[in-house]
Amino acid sequence: MKNYLITTLWGAFIWFFATLFFVFFGEHVLFSPGKENFTTSILLLVLGTGLLLWGVTYIYLFFVELLHLNFLTEI
């Protein structure tokens, strides 16, 4: 149950900052489909999101493994 709580809190943390990103920068990165910057904007958002999610997942797995190893050494 403890692992689900950590995962849920991590997901809420990511969701909160993703929402803040679009609140503050949405008008600068989102374009209508008819505009010339639309394709470039979508490609950059997809690539940036993919890299960011990879990095966040890497950090999450690092901490989970670290917590798991600490738990095993206490037994």
Side-chain angles (χ1 to χ4, degrees), residues 30-57:
L30 299 174
F31 296 98
S32 298
K35 295 195 175 187
E36 62 184 54
N37 295 336
F38 177 73
T39 304
T40 305
S41 172
I42 291 296
L43 288 175
L44 289 175
L45 280 173
V46 168
L47 289 173
T49 301
L51 287 172
L52 186 64
L53 286 175
W54 174 80
V56 167
T57 302

Side-chain angles (χ1 to χ4, degrees), residues 1-68:
M1 183 69 175
K2 186 178 178 181
N3 288 339
Y4 292 125
L5 180 63
I6 293 170
T7 304
T8 303
L9 290 174
W10 190 256
F13 178 76
I14 298 302
W15 173 81
F16 177 73
F17 280 102
T19 302
L20 282 179
F21 173 81
F22 284 106
V23 166
F24 291 119
F25 301 110
E27 66 183 39
H28 302 292
V29 297
L30 299 174
F31 296 98
S32 298
K35 295 195 175 187
E36 62 184 54
N37 295 336
F38 177 73
T39 304
T40 305
S41 172
I42 291 296
L43 288 175
L44 289 175
L45 280 173
V46 168
L47 289 173
T49 301
L51 287 172
L52 186 64
L53 286 175
W54 174 80
V56 167
T57 302
Y58 182 80
I59 292 169
Y60 172 78
L61 291 174
F62 174 77
F63 282 119
V64 167
E65 183 177 321
L66 185 66
L67 291 173
H68 183 68

